[in-house]
Amino acid sequence: VSEEYEDPQSYEEAMSSEYAEQWMQAIQRELHALKSNGTWKLVKLPKGRKALGSKFVFRVKRLASGQFDKFKARLVIQGFQQKEGFDYNETYAPVVDFTTVRVALTIAAIFDMEIHQLDVQTAFLNGLLDEEVYMKQPKGFEEEGLEDHVCKLIKSLYGLKQAARVWFKVLEGDLKRLGFHTVEGIECLFVRNSPDGLIYILAHVDDVLVMSTKLSQIKWAKEKLMELYRMTDLGEVKSFLGVEISRDRSRKLIQLTQGGYIKKILNKFEMDKCKDVKTPAETRLSEESNQGCGKSIPFREAVGSLMYLAIRTRPDISSAVGAVARHVENPTLADWKAVKRILRYIKGTASYGLVLGSDTTQDVLLEAYSDADWGGDPEDRKSVSGFVVRLCQSTISWRSIKQKPVALSTAEAEYMALSEVFKEITWLKIGRASCRER
């Protein structure tokens, strides 16, 4: 499947495409998984109740490098029709943030830990619902003779507002029964310290990383998890959350790159044939700085794509992306030109990545740097804070953020920047101390 192929937006579009047979097979696999899992039972809709709609969502799954993996069809309930207090209550569900991932990978690189990855199949279907929720049968796939019935959900389903929360509660409960403990302030990092060895588990919805100094402990954890859920064992980690992971164990280094993602967004915004530049931003204002962008220019989408890149593996574009992100509500042609410059920069630096670990580090040292420009914005005279946090000489956290109040001096601007980095390292130290205690 070529990289230019776009995912179908509807069932009709999927069935009229050149891959109609593959999409139908994906639908059948999804329905079989749902029914065999006991996700619902067919009942008559009770009086006074309303059945929610559903639809199939189609995705061509690709590896982080951009290579084709498989066709995926997922039945999604239309949760936007739910009413709070009626068919859902709490919805909050934590996911592991990428700073935690970078810290874990840094420690794994330095101490030569094994890192394996698991993918939970139909993760949301593992949780039992407390609320009564009804759903219409998938259009075109109604049970023969029971066309007037609806699905009463027994288990959670993708699209429900509470689905992620229900799944996390199931995972958390099962891991605690296996002897794992959550880390203070990092709910999706689980630790098990036993005489047999130390195990870390990081969970981001249905993507799970298992880390340990002993391969036997990795095997034990995977066996226990696969007894509980249907999972795909992906072996040693190669990519995680769209980030490609390569490793040099002899030098105790791990490199994070997003070359496949960069190629994708360059194609999306028709910048794949542009001329690259050496820096992500320039200070000179353009002559068309006051001219509006127009709705036809995908400014917001481009900024969002660049932010995804900046917060994961590219601190070098963080400041430039932060600057253009402040103008998403009313962008000008100068702002769009600035966005295109960042795209031109990443085209020439697509192979750049973040290197974690060190073969020379003896102590687990946490260090941080902060800075601020005083009154750098000529419109409101507000300053911009920036900081970088490093663990064992590896960059694990960074931020470029505009200060809310107007600083009256350089010292005040610097103190506000210092406050931001202190909050970050306090959170990191709490998590580190909690891991050590366990």
Side-chain angles (χ1 to χ4, degrees):
V1 181
S2 66
E3 294 186 10
E4 289 72 28
Y5 179 72
E6 295 185 1
D7 298 326
Q9 298 303 305
S10 65
Y11 172 78
E12 292 75 17
E13 188 178 333
M15 291 301 102
S16 61
S17 75
E18 58 183 310
Y19 301 108
E21 183 179 347
Q22 289 89 337
W23 287 125
M24 180 55 71
Q25 291 172 357
I27 289 174
Q28 295 296 347
R29 286 196 301 269
E30 173 73 356
L31 289 176
H32 175 73
L34 293 173
K35 291 176 182 177
S36 62
N37 191 57
T39 307
W40 63 64
K41 64 179 180 179
L42 294 177
V43 298
K44 285 276 191 179
L45 184 66
K47 289 184 179 180
R49 298 303 301 264
K50 182 179 180 181
L52 306 178
S54 64
K55 64 174 290 188
F56 283 101
V57 175
F58 303 94
R59 289 288 182 271
V60 173
K61 300 284 284 186
R62 298 183 184 276
L63 304 175
S65 60
Q67 293 179 323
F68 169 76
D69 184 21
K70 62 182 177 179
F71 291 92
K72 177 70 178 178
R74 176 161 283 160
L75 183 66
V76 178
I77 193 170
Q78 294 174 331
F80 61 85
Q81 299 174 341
Q82 289 182 264
K83 294 182 180 179
E84 186 176 3
F86 186 67
D87 49 17
Y88 81 93
N89 294 295
E90 294 291 333
T91 61
Y92 169 73
V95 293
V96 67
D97 66 286
F98 221 80
T99 297
T100 302
V101 174
R102 288 189 292 263
V103 172
L105 292 178
T106 300
I107 294 172
I110 292 171
F111 295 103
D112 198 30
M113 299 176 73
E114 303 291 339
I115 315 170
H116 284 225
Q117 185 176 7
L118 296 165
D119 178 62
V120 186
Q121 300 177 27
T122 56
F124 286 3
L125 309 186
N126 290 286
L128 295 173
L129 283 177
D130 295 325
E131 302 86 1
E132 237 179 68
V133 181
Y134 298 91
M135 180 188 77
K136 298 175 184 177
Q137 294 188 60
K139 189 176 180 181
F141 297 90
E142 296 87 352
E143 289 286 337
E144 187 176 352
L146 299 173
E147 291 84 356
D148 60 338
H149 284 49
V150 297
C151 304
K152 180 182 179 181
L153 296 188
I154 306 300
K155 297 184 178 180
S156 181
L157 192 66
Y158 288 89
L160 283 176
K161 291 183 183 293
Q162 67 267 45
R165 179 179 178 84
V166 172
W167 157 241
F168 178 76
K169 290 297 181 183
V170 170
L171 178 65
E172 182 184 40
D174 288 339
L175 287 176
K176 285 185 176 180
R177 280 187 285 275
L178 290 173
F180 286 87
H181 302 273
T182 53
V183 174
E184 184 181 359
I186 313 174
E187 296 175 87
C188 286
L189 173 59
F190 300 89
V191 183
R192 183 179 188 269
N193 198 352
S194 70
D196 296 323
L198 179 68
I199 310 175
Y200 292 113
I201 288 183
L202 291 87
H204 190 283
V205 191
D206 55 358
D207 290 303
V208 178
L209 287 184
V210 184
M211 299 168 39
S212 179
T213 52
K214 296 182 179 180
L215 188 58
S216 60
Q217 287 298 287
I218 294 280
K219 291 179 178 178
W220 175 86
K222 290 199 292 187
E223 287 173 0
K224 291 296 183 181
L225 288 172
M226 294 178 82
E227 288 175 5
L228 295 169
Y229 320 113
R230 290 179 58 202
M231 308 186 86
T232 303
D233 185 354
L234 302 176
E236 290 190 29
V237 65
K238 301 297 181 185
S239 66
F240 188 65
L241 303 180
V243 176
E244 300 163 55
I245 300 175
S246 56
R247 190 169 191 181
D248 184 345
R249 300 190 78 152
S250 63
R251 299 172 59 198
K252 297 185 177 180
L253 298 177
I254 289 177
Q255 184 177 28
L256 309 181
T257 56
Q258 288 180 272
Y261 177 74
I262 290 174
K263 185 178 180 180
K264 179 181 177 180
I265 62 176
L266 289 173
N267 289 331
K268 180 178 180 180
F269 299 110
E270 300 180 356
M271 294 290 287
D272 52 307
K273 297 180 182 178
C274 67
K275 184 179 179 181
D276 60 273
V277 292
K278 300 298 184 184
T279 59
E282 57 183 352
T283 56
R284 288 189 305 168
L285 293 175
S286 174
E287 293 180 359
E288 53 292 87
S289 58
N290 294 322
Q291 297 181 30
C293 228
K295 294 183 179 179
S296 61
I297 294 178
F299 186 87
R300 187 185 295 270
E301 293 85 349
V303 171
S305 298
L306 289 169
M307 286 183 70
Y308 182 83
L309 183 64
I311 63 177
R312 274 169 166 67
T313 61
R314 297 297 295 268
D316 55 330
I317 65 171
S318 182
S319 179
V321 173
V324 296
R326 298 177 198 124
H327 302 280
V328 291
E329 291 299 327
N330 189 27
T332 64
L333 289 179
D335 297 325
W336 178 238
K337 184 177 179 181
V339 168
K340 290 198 293 184
R341 183 179 180 89
I342 302 174
L343 291 169
R344 291 169 63 194
Y345 171 72
I346 64 172
K347 181 180 185 295
T349 59
S351 61
Y352 283 21
L354 195 65
V355 178
L356 305 175
S358 172
D359 59 356
T360 60
T361 301
Q362 299 296 325
D363 299 321
V364 181
L365 177 65
L366 185 68
E367 53 187 342
Y369 306 87
S370 70
D371 198 6
D373 70 336
W374 180 40
D377 192 320
E379 295 181 2
D380 57 16
R381 306 312 300 175
K382 290 184 178 180
S383 309
V384 175
S385 298
F387 71 75
V388 172
V389 181
R390 289 166 60 84
L391 178 66
C392 305
Q393 304 175 16
S394 303
T395 300
I396 58 167
S397 182
W398 59 87
R399 191 169 303 158
S400 175
I401 184 172
K402 195 173 185 179
Q403 297 177 358
K404 292 182 179 180
V406 177
L408 301 181
S409 66
T410 56
E412 189 174 354
E414 296 285 357
Y415 268 114
M416 282 191 274
L418 197 60
S419 172
E420 291 295 325
V421 75
F422 258 98
K423 287 187 286 186
E424 185 74 0
I425 60 177
T426 299
W427 170 69
L428 287 167
K429 287 178 70 176
I430 289 174
R432 178 182 165 190
S434 181
C435 285
R436 189 167 57 244
E437 288 169 6
R438 298 298 185 187

